[in-house]
Amino acid sequence: MAGMRKKVSKGHTVYSYTGDLAEVLKKAEKELNVKMAADEYSHLKWQADKATKALKRYQDRIIDLKDFIRIATYKLNEEKKEN
């Protein structure tokens, strides 16, 4: 059975195949077309975009909370010193 494989080591990618190269190429092109047209691809891309945006909002909220706590603590200490 003809097929292609990918091996990654030390940051280098090596592709290998078994069988007839023209047959493996045709098979890879067919698989690519199927994967690109699949609903799963669109759904996974949507999920990734949504997760990226959610993570950014989460990280921004953590930064905002840390900043607020720092400023509020400073202000409280200033008010205590005045009294």
Side-chain angles (χ1 to χ4, degrees), residues 2 9 17-18 27 41 43 50 54 60:
S9 63
Y17 67 94
T18 56
K27 191 175 176 183
Y41 177 76
H43 181 69
K50 188 174 177 180
D60 288 347

Side-chain angles (χ1 to χ4, degrees), residues 5-16:
R5 286 180 295 292
K6 171 183 160 183
K7 182 178 180 183
V8 178
S9 63
K10 297 183 183 178
H12 291 54
T13 303
V14 176
Y15 294 98
S16 62

Side-chain angles (χ1 to χ4, degrees), residues 54-79:
L55 178 61
K56 175 78 170 110
R57 283 192 309 270
Y58 197 87
Q59 290 170 330
D60 288 347
R61 183 63 177 166
I62 289 172
I63 291 168
D64 291 342
L65 289 168
K66 286 180 178 180
D67 288 345
F68 174 77
I69 290 169
R70 180 180 50 82
I71 293 167
T73 302
Y74 176 80
K75 181 144 177 75
L76 278 175
N77 288 338
E78 289 295 313
E79 287 177 2

